[in-house]
Amino acid sequence: MTVDGDLRETLSALPPDDVRAYLSNNGWAPYDRIGSSRLWAVSEGESDFEAIVPQDREARDYELRMINLLQVLTEAEGRSRGQILRDLTTVNVDRNHVRTQPSAPSGSISVADGAAAYEGVRELLIAGAYAVLSEPAIRLPRRKLAQVEDFPKKARLGPAEAGSYIISIEVPLEDDDGTLFSVAQPFGRRVMLRLYSAIQAARVASNEALETSELDPFADRVGEGISAHLCRALGRFGGTEQDHPFEMRFAWALRTPTGIATPPVRFDASMASVLAQAGEDLGAGDRIDRDAVVVGTVWRTQRVRPTDDGWIIVRGANTRSEDRQRRLVRVPLPPDDFNKALQASRDGRLVRIVGTLARTGKRTEFTSVRDFSIIDAD
C-alpha cells in the first residue's frame, strides 16, 4: 500500500485507545500478546483476519503497525482507507454504513435506485427516533413528535464511496449548544442503538417470514423496534425492484464506547423483498380482495402426499394492478397443477396464476385459482 507523508502522520498520531475502541466496536477481539503489542482477530464472512496492535504510541513500530492495520481493515470491511480513517479520526460521531449492491458499476447507482436508497435513509432515522420516544407501533402515525421529524435534519451524510455503493449516515453526539452530553446518553446514540437492535430483529423476522410467507414474525417483534416504517425503509436499500442484497455496518463514536460488539447485519435479495412487502402490508388492516393475474417464480412448495392438494409460494407481481411490487403469494393447488409447479421450480421457469387474490396485514394469498400455467420460455 502506497503511503504518503500526510497519511503516515495521521496514522502515527492515532491514539491507541481509539484504535482499540474501533476494533472492539467492529467485532475484533484480542487473544494473544506479542511483546508489548496485542494480536487482534475477527471473522468476516468466510475469512479470518489478524492484526498486531501496539499498546503504546511510543512503540518504535507503531507507524508501521498502523499502516498494516489500515490495509487489513480495508480488506476485511471492503471499504476504502479514507472512509476507515474518517471513522478513526472523527471521534464523537456514530455512523451507519449502508452497503447497497445495485446493478451498476462499482461506486455508482442508478438515479431511481439512489432516490429509493436515500429516501430509505430518512425513513430509517424517523423509525429509530420514533422507537426511542414513543410506544411501539406497527404503523407510525401521520403526525409525530417534532423531535422525531427533526432527527434526520441533525444527522448528515458522509461521503459516498466505491465498493458497490456505500451510503454513510453520521449522527454527531452533541447537544444543541454543541457540547457533549456529560451524564445522560445522547439522544442520537439512543436512536442508533435502538436501530441496530431493530435491524437485527428485522433480519431474524425476514428469515422466519420467508419460511412461512406470513408477516407474523415482524408483528411479533414490534416491541423490539420493528414497524412497517422501518421495514419499508430497509426494503428501499434493495433498489426499486427490492431484489438486491445490502449490508449495514455500525461504527460507534470512539470517545463514547458502547461496550457491546455490533457485527455487520447482512440481508440477501430475498430478505430485501420480504422487507418491502412487510413495509407495505404489515398492519394494513382490512382485507383486500381483487381479481389478479400474478406472474412469478416458484419459491417454495409443500404437500403431504402426492395425491393431496398442496400449496406453493410464488414470488411475483399482480400484472393487473398498478402496484407491481413483487410479493410472496401463497397459492393452493390441486395435484395436477402442483406437479406442474414442481416442474417449473426445477426448470426455473415462470408461472402464471389467475384468480382472486386477498391481501391482509398478515399474508397475500389466492383464495381461489381459476387457472395455473407455466409460461413458455422465449
Side-chain angles (χ1 to χ4, degrees), residues 198-227:
I199 289 167
Q200 283 186 309
R203 187 185 186 285
V204 174
S206 298
N207 269 328
E208 294 179 4
L210 287 169
E211 287 294 317
T212 63
S213 79
E214 296 188 355
L215 301 181
D216 285 344
F218 294 100
D220 293 342
R221 291 177 172 84
V222 169
E224 298 176 48
I226 289 182
S227 64

PDB file of all heavy atoms in Angstrom, residues 198-227:
ATOM      1  N   ALA A 198     -33.202  -3.150  16.328  1.00  0.00           N
ATOM      2  CA  ALA A 198     -34.387  -3.346  15.496  1.00  0.00           C
ATOM      3  C   ALA A 198     -34.013  -3.965  14.156  1.00  0.00           C
ATOM      4  O   ALA A 198     -34.740  -4.821  13.623  1.00  0.00           O
ATOM      5  CB  ALA A 198     -35.106  -2.014  15.279  1.00  0.00           C
ATOM      6  N   ILE A 199     -32.888  -3.563  13.590  1.00  0.00           N
ATOM      7  CA  ILE A 199     -32.436  -4.124  12.314  1.00  0.00           C
ATOM      8  C   ILE A 199     -32.057  -5.590  12.483  1.00  0.00           C
ATOM      9  O   ILE A 199     -32.359  -6.428  11.623  1.00  0.00           O
ATOM     10  CB  ILE A 199     -31.262  -3.291  11.768  1.00  0.00           C
ATOM     11  CG1 ILE A 199     -31.783  -1.921  11.304  1.00  0.00           C
ATOM     12  CG2 ILE A 199     -30.559  -4.004  10.618  1.00  0.00           C
ATOM     13  CD1 ILE A 199     -30.680  -0.909  11.044  1.00  0.00           C
ATOM     14  N   GLN A 200     -31.423  -5.923  13.601  1.00  0.00           N
ATOM     15  CA  GLN A 200     -31.147  -7.333  13.879  1.00  0.00           C
ATOM     16  C   GLN A 200     -32.447  -8.137  13.967  1.00  0.00           C
ATOM     17  O   GLN A 200     -32.558  -9.238  13.420  1.00  0.00           O
ATOM     18  CB  GLN A 200     -30.375  -7.468  15.180  1.00  0.00           C
ATOM     19  CG  GLN A 200     -28.899  -7.128  15.106  1.00  0.00           C
ATOM     20  CD  GLN A 200     -28.214  -7.432  16.425  1.00  0.00           C
ATOM     21  OE1 GLN A 200     -28.659  -7.007  17.481  1.00  0.00           O
ATOM     22  NE2 GLN A 200     -27.132  -8.185  16.369  1.00  0.00           N
ATOM     23  N   ALA A 201     -33.439  -7.575  14.662  1.00  0.00           N
ATOM     24  CA  ALA A 201     -34.728  -8.260  14.785  1.00  0.00           C
ATOM     25  C   ALA A 201     -35.396  -8.411  13.423  1.00  0.00           C
ATOM     26  O   ALA A 201     -36.019  -9.442  13.133  1.00  0.00           O
ATOM     27  CB  ALA A 201     -35.639  -7.481  15.739  1.00  0.00           C
ATOM     28  N   ALA A 202     -35.260  -7.393  12.571  1.00  0.00           N
ATOM     29  CA  ALA A 202     -35.854  -7.459  11.235  1.00  0.00           C
ATOM     30  C   ALA A 202     -35.196  -8.548  10.391  1.00  0.00           C
ATOM     31  O   ALA A 202     -35.860  -9.196   9.573  1.00  0.00           O
ATOM     32  CB  ALA A 202     -35.712  -6.107  10.545  1.00  0.00           C
ATOM     33  N   ARG A 203     -33.918  -8.764  10.597  1.00  0.00           N
ATOM     34  CA  ARG A 203     -33.247  -9.826   9.850  1.00  0.00           C
ATOM     35  C   ARG A 203     -33.781 -11.199  10.280  1.00  0.00           C
ATOM     36  O   ARG A 203     -34.056 -12.060   9.429  1.00  0.00           O
ATOM     37  CB  ARG A 203     -31.729  -9.776  10.067  1.00  0.00           C
ATOM     38  CG  ARG A 203     -30.971 -10.744   9.178  1.00  0.00           C
ATOM     39  CD  ARG A 203     -29.485 -10.777   9.487  1.00  0.00           C
ATOM     40  NE  ARG A 203     -28.780 -11.602   8.512  1.00  0.00           N
ATOM     41  CZ  ARG A 203     -28.794 -12.923   8.476  1.00  0.00           C
ATOM     42  NH1 ARG A 203     -29.470 -13.581   9.418  1.00  0.00           N
ATOM     43  NH2 ARG A 203     -28.138 -13.593   7.545  1.00  0.00           N
ATOM     44  N   VAL A 204     -33.923 -11.407  11.579  1.00  0.00           N
ATOM     45  CA  VAL A 204     -34.468 -12.676  12.069  1.00  0.00           C
ATOM     46  C   VAL A 204     -35.894 -12.867  11.558  1.00  0.00           C
ATOM     47  O   VAL A 204     -36.265 -13.952  11.086  1.00  0.00           O
ATOM     48  CB  VAL A 204     -34.436 -12.716  13.609  1.00  0.00           C
ATOM     49  CG1 VAL A 204     -35.135 -13.966  14.128  1.00  0.00           C
ATOM     50  CG2 VAL A 204     -32.997 -12.664  14.113  1.00  0.00           C
ATOM     51  N   ALA A 205     -36.697 -11.803  11.636  1.00  0.00           N
ATOM     52  CA  ALA A 205     -38.080 -11.886  11.172  1.00  0.00           C
ATOM     53  C   ALA A 205     -38.147 -12.179   9.677  1.00  0.00           C
ATOM     54  O   ALA A 205     -39.022 -12.929   9.223  1.00  0.00           O
ATOM     55  CB  ALA A 205     -38.813 -10.580  11.489  1.00  0.00           C
ATOM     56  N   SER A 206     -37.231 -11.620   8.910  1.00  0.00           N
ATOM     57  CA  SER A 206     -37.209 -11.867   7.467  1.00  0.00           C
ATOM     58  C   SER A 206     -37.003 -13.347   7.176  1.00  0.00           C
ATOM     59  O   SER A 206     -37.691 -13.930   6.327  1.00  0.00           O
ATOM     60  CB  SER A 206     -36.098 -11.054   6.803  1.00  0.00           C
ATOM     61  OG  SER A 206     -36.304  -9.671   6.956  1.00  0.00           O
ATOM     62  N   ASN A 207     -36.062 -13.961   7.870  1.00  0.00           N
ATOM     63  CA  ASN A 207     -35.822 -15.396   7.677  1.00  0.00           C
ATOM     64  C   ASN A 207     -37.062 -16.217   7.992  1.00  0.00           C
ATOM     65  O   ASN A 207     -37.434 -17.129   7.241  1.00  0.00           O
ATOM     66  CB  ASN A 207     -34.659 -15.843   8.572  1.00  0.00           C
ATOM     67  CG  ASN A 207     -33.319 -15.748   7.874  1.00  0.00           C
ATOM     68  OD1 ASN A 207     -33.225 -15.927   6.670  1.00  0.00           O
ATOM     69  ND2 ASN A 207     -32.279 -15.452   8.638  1.00  0.00           N
ATOM     70  N   GLU A 208     -37.706 -15.889   9.103  1.00  0.00           N
ATOM     71  CA  GLU A 208     -38.892 -16.647   9.502  1.00  0.00           C
ATOM     72  C   GLU A 208     -40.049 -16.410   8.534  1.00  0.00           C
ATOM     73  O   GLU A 208     -40.799 -17.342   8.201  1.00  0.00           O
ATOM     74  CB  GLU A 208     -39.294 -16.257  10.925  1.00  0.00           C
ATOM     75  CG  GLU A 208     -38.258 -16.671  11.973  1.00  0.00           C
ATOM     76  CD  GLU A 208     -38.650 -16.249  13.374  1.00  0.00           C
ATOM     77  OE1 GLU A 208     -39.767 -15.709  13.543  1.00  0.00           O
ATOM     78  OE2 GLU A 208     -37.855 -16.461  14.307  1.00  0.00           O
ATOM     79  N   ALA A 209     -40.203 -15.176   8.074  1.00  0.00           N
ATOM     80  CA  ALA A 209     -41.286 -14.868   7.141  1.00  0.00           C
ATOM     81  C   ALA A 209     -41.090 -15.582   5.813  1.00  0.00           C
ATOM     82  O   ALA A 209     -42.056 -16.019   5.173  1.00  0.00           O
ATOM     83  CB  ALA A 209     -41.369 -13.358   6.916  1.00  0.00           C
ATOM     84  N   LEU A 210     -39.842 -15.736   5.373  1.00  0.00           N
ATOM     85  CA  LEU A 210     -39.582 -16.447   4.125  1.00  0.00           C
ATOM     86  C   LEU A 210     -39.943 -17.920   4.234  1.00  0.00           C
ATOM     87  O   LEU A 210     -40.261 -18.562   3.232  1.00  0.00           O
ATOM     88  CB  LEU A 210     -38.106 -16.291   3.748  1.00  0.00           C
ATOM     89  CG  LEU A 210     -37.710 -14.906   3.240  1.00  0.00           C
ATOM     90  CD1 LEU A 210     -36.197 -14.783   3.152  1.00  0.00           C
ATOM     91  CD2 LEU A 210     -38.343 -14.623   1.889  1.00  0.00           C
ATOM     92  N   GLU A 211     -39.899 -18.469   5.441  1.00  0.00           N
ATOM     93  CA  GLU A 211     -40.255 -19.872   5.637  1.00  0.00           C
ATOM     94  C   GLU A 211     -41.758 -20.096   5.585  1.00  0.00           C
ATOM     95  O   GLU A 211     -42.221 -21.156   5.172  1.00  0.00           O
ATOM     96  CB  GLU A 211     -39.708 -20.365   6.982  1.00  0.00           C
ATOM     97  CG  GLU A 211     -38.207 -20.559   7.014  1.00  0.00           C
ATOM     98  CD  GLU A 211     -37.763 -21.687   6.097  1.00  0.00           C
ATOM     99  OE1 GLU A 211     -38.425 -22.747   6.090  1.00  0.00           O
ATOM    100  OE2 GLU A 211     -36.773 -21.490   5.361  1.00  0.00           O
ATOM    101  N   THR A 212     -42.519 -19.099   5.996  1.00  0.00           N
ATOM    102  CA  THR A 212     -43.968 -19.281   6.150  1.00  0.00           C
ATOM    103  C   THR A 212     -44.805 -18.468   5.176  1.00  0.00           C
ATOM    104  O   THR A 212     -46.004 -18.716   5.046  1.00  0.00           O
ATOM    105  CB  THR A 212     -44.393 -18.891   7.577  1.00  0.00           C
ATOM    106  OG1 THR A 212     -44.120 -17.489   7.782  1.00  0.00           O
ATOM    107  CG2 THR A 212     -43.633 -19.710   8.612  1.00  0.00           C
ATOM    108  N   SER A 213     -44.192 -17.463   4.530  1.00  0.00           N
ATOM    109  CA  SER A 213     -44.874 -16.487   3.663  1.00  0.00           C
ATOM    110  C   SER A 213     -45.850 -15.610   4.444  1.00  0.00           C
ATOM    111  O   SER A 213     -46.713 -14.971   3.860  1.00  0.00           O
ATOM    112  CB  SER A 213     -45.613 -17.169   2.503  1.00  0.00           C
ATOM    113  OG  SER A 213     -46.861 -17.720   2.910  1.00  0.00           O
ATOM    114  N   GLU A 214     -45.718 -15.575   5.756  1.00  0.00           N
ATOM    115  CA  GLU A 214     -46.569 -14.744   6.597  1.00  0.00           C
ATOM    116  C   GLU A 214     -45.742 -13.644   7.260  1.00  0.00           C
ATOM    117  O   GLU A 214     -44.526 -13.793   7.465  1.00  0.00           O
ATOM    118  CB  GLU A 214     -47.264 -15.599   7.656  1.00  0.00           C
ATOM    119  CG  GLU A 214     -48.220 -16.625   7.073  1.00  0.00           C
ATOM    120  CD  GLU A 214     -49.041 -17.327   8.141  1.00  0.00           C
ATOM    121  OE1 GLU A 214     -48.796 -17.077   9.331  1.00  0.00           O
ATOM    122  OE2 GLU A 214     -49.926 -18.121   7.776  1.00  0.00           O
ATOM    123  N   LEU A 215     -46.414 -12.560   7.624  1.00  0.00           N
ATOM    124  CA  LEU A 215     -45.736 -11.406   8.206  1.00  0.00           C
ATOM    125  C   LEU A 215     -45.780 -11.402   9.731  1.00  0.00           C
ATOM    126  O   LEU A 215     -45.284 -10.465  10.355  1.00  0.00           O
ATOM    127  CB  LEU A 215     -46.359 -10.114   7.666  1.00  0.00           C
ATOM    128  CG  LEU A 215     -46.308  -9.936   6.149  1.00  0.00           C
ATOM    129  CD1 LEU A 215     -46.951  -8.601   5.745  1.00  0.00           C
ATOM    130  CD2 LEU A 215     -44.883 -10.011   5.628  1.00  0.00           C
ATOM    131  N   ASP A 216     -46.349 -12.457  10.330  1.00  0.00           N
ATOM    132  CA  ASP A 216     -46.423 -12.511  11.791  1.00  0.00           C
ATOM    133  C   ASP A 216     -45.063 -12.357  12.477  1.00  0.00           C
ATOM    134  O   ASP A 216     -44.988 -11.737  13.551  1.00  0.00           O
ATOM    135  CB  ASP A 216     -47.072 -13.826  12.236  1.00  0.00           C
ATOM    136  CG  ASP A 216     -48.571 -13.822  12.020  1.00  0.00           C
ATOM    137  OD1 ASP A 216     -49.134 -12.723  11.826  1.00  0.00           O
ATOM    138  OD2 ASP A 216     -49.187 -14.901  12.039  1.00  0.00           O
ATOM    139  N   PRO A 217     -43.970 -12.903  11.918  1.00  0.00           N
ATOM    140  CA  PRO A 217     -42.676 -12.722  12.598  1.00  0.00           C
ATOM    141  C   PRO A 217     -42.288 -11.254  12.790  1.00  0.00           C
ATOM    142  O   PRO A 217     -41.606 -10.917  13.753  1.00  0.00           O
ATOM    143  CB  PRO A 217     -41.692 -13.439  11.679  1.00  0.00           C
ATOM    144  CG  PRO A 217     -42.513 -14.492  11.011  1.00  0.00           C
ATOM    145  CD  PRO A 217     -43.850 -13.837  10.787  1.00  0.00           C
ATOM    146  N   PHE A 218     -42.732 -10.389  11.886  1.00  0.00           N
ATOM    147  CA  PHE A 218     -42.477  -8.957  12.062  1.00  0.00           C
ATOM    148  C   PHE A 218     -43.382  -8.376  13.142  1.00  0.00           C
ATOM    149  O   PHE A 218     -42.933  -7.649  14.028  1.00  0.00           O
ATOM    150  CB  PHE A 218     -42.702  -8.209  10.743  1.00  0.00           C
ATOM    151  CG  PHE A 218     -41.731  -8.557   9.662  1.00  0.00           C
ATOM    152  CD1 PHE A 218     -42.069  -9.455   8.656  1.00  0.00           C
ATOM    153  CD2 PHE A 218     -40.463  -7.995   9.636  1.00  0.00           C
ATOM    154  CE1 PHE A 218     -41.179  -9.782   7.653  1.00  0.00           C
ATOM    155  CE2 PHE A 218     -39.558  -8.308   8.641  1.00  0.00           C
ATOM    156  CZ  PHE A 218     -39.915  -9.211   7.643  1.00  0.00           C
ATOM    157  N   ALA A 219     -44.667  -8.709  13.080  1.00  0.00           N
ATOM    158  CA  ALA A 219     -45.621  -8.183  14.064  1.00  0.00           C
ATOM    159  C   ALA A 219     -45.257  -8.636  15.472  1.00  0.00           C
ATOM    160  O   ALA A 219     -45.440  -7.896  16.441  1.00  0.00           O
ATOM    161  CB  ALA A 219     -47.038  -8.631  13.705  1.00  0.00           C
ATOM    162  N   ASP A 220     -44.726  -9.852  15.593  1.00  0.00           N
ATOM    163  CA  ASP A 220     -44.359 -10.374  16.912  1.00  0.00           C
ATOM    164  C   ASP A 220     -43.194  -9.622  17.539  1.00  0.00           C
ATOM    165  O   ASP A 220     -42.951  -9.747  18.742  1.00  0.00           O
ATOM    166  CB  ASP A 220     -43.998 -11.859  16.809  1.00  0.00           C
ATOM    167  CG  ASP A 220     -45.191 -12.724  16.457  1.00  0.00           C
ATOM    168  OD1 ASP A 220     -46.334 -12.261  16.616  1.00  0.00           O
ATOM    169  OD2 ASP A 220     -44.977 -13.877  16.008  1.00  0.00           O
ATOM    170  N   ARG A 221     -42.456  -8.850  16.735  1.00  0.00           N
ATOM    171  CA  ARG A 221     -41.272  -8.152  17.242  1.00  0.00           C
ATOM    172  C   ARG A 221     -41.431  -6.634  17.229  1.00  0.00           C
ATOM    173  O   ARG A 221     -40.443  -5.896  17.230  1.00  0.00           O
ATOM    174  CB  ARG A 221     -40.051  -8.560  16.415  1.00  0.00           C
ATOM    175  CG  ARG A 221     -39.641 -10.011  16.630  1.00  0.00           C
ATOM    176  CD  ARG A 221     -38.475 -10.417  15.732  1.00  0.00           C
ATOM    177  NE  ARG A 221     -37.984 -11.748  16.077  1.00  0.00           N
ATOM    178  CZ  ARG A 221     -38.522 -12.877  15.631  1.00  0.00           C
ATOM    179  NH1 ARG A 221     -39.577 -12.829  14.818  1.00  0.00           N
ATOM    180  NH2 ARG A 221     -38.031 -14.045  15.999  1.00  0.00           N
ATOM    181  N   VAL A 222     -42.647  -6.175  17.255  1.00  0.00           N
ATOM    182  CA  VAL A 222     -42.872  -4.727  17.296  1.00  0.00           C
ATOM    183  C   VAL A 222     -42.236  -4.129  18.549  1.00  0.00           C
ATOM    184  O   VAL A 222     -41.682  -3.028  18.525  1.00  0.00           O
ATOM    185  CB  VAL A 222     -44.387  -4.414  17.236  1.00  0.00           C
ATOM    186  CG1 VAL A 222     -44.658  -2.942  17.545  1.00  0.00           C
ATOM    187  CG2 VAL A 222     -44.928  -4.759  15.852  1.00  0.00           C
ATOM    188  N   GLY A 223     -42.279  -4.864  19.644  1.00  0.00           N
ATOM    189  CA  GLY A 223     -41.669  -4.375  20.883  1.00  0.00           C
ATOM    190  C   GLY A 223     -40.159  -4.227  20.789  1.00  0.00           C
ATOM    191  O   GLY A 223     -39.544  -3.574  21.640  1.00  0.00           O
ATOM    192  N   GLU A 224     -39.532  -4.813  19.753  1.00  0.00           N
ATOM    193  CA  GLU A 224     -38.088  -4.688  19.549  1.00  0.00           C
ATOM    194  C   GLU A 224     -37.741  -3.558  18.588  1.00  0.00           C
ATOM    195  O   GLU A 224     -36.583  -3.421  18.181  1.00  0.00           O
ATOM    196  CB  GLU A 224     -37.523  -6.012  19.023  1.00  0.00           C
ATOM    197  CG  GLU A 224     -37.713  -7.178  19.988  1.00  0.00           C
ATOM    198  CD  GLU A 224     -37.231  -8.495  19.400  1.00  0.00           C
ATOM    199  OE1 GLU A 224     -36.109  -8.528  18.868  1.00  0.00           O
ATOM    200  OE2 GLU A 224     -37.989  -9.482  19.462  1.00  0.00           O
ATOM    201  N   GLY A 225     -38.736  -2.761  18.226  1.00  0.00           N
ATOM    202  CA  GLY A 225     -38.479  -1.611  17.362  1.00  0.00           C
ATOM    203  C   GLY A 225     -38.897  -1.791  15.921  1.00  0.00           C
ATOM    204  O   GLY A 225     -38.742  -0.879  15.102  1.00  0.00           O
ATOM    205  N   ILE A 226     -39.433  -2.959  15.569  1.00  0.00           N
ATOM    206  CA  ILE A 226     -39.883  -3.182  14.200  1.00  0.00           C
ATOM    207  C   ILE A 226     -41.206  -2.466  13.966  1.00  0.00           C
ATOM    208  O   ILE A 226     -42.094  -2.480  14.815  1.00  0.00           O
ATOM    209  CB  ILE A 226     -40.039  -4.684  13.908  1.00  0.00           C
ATOM    210  CG1 ILE A 226     -38.665  -5.346  13.825  1.00  0.00           C
ATOM    211  CG2 ILE A 226     -40.809  -4.924  12.624  1.00  0.00           C
ATOM    212  CD1 ILE A 226     -38.727  -6.820  13.483  1.00  0.00           C
ATOM    213  N   SER A 227     -41.329  -1.844  12.819  1.00  0.00           N
ATOM    214  CA  SER A 227     -42.571  -1.208  12.383  1.00  0.00           C
ATOM    215  C   SER A 227     -42.640  -1.317  10.869  1.00  0.00           C
ATOM    216  O   SER A 227     -41.636  -1.638  10.216  1.00  0.00           O
ATOM    217  CB  SER A 227     -42.605   0.270  12.796  1.00  0.00           C
ATOM    218  OG  SER A 227     -41.562   1.000  12.140  1.00  0.00           O
TER     219      SER A 227
END
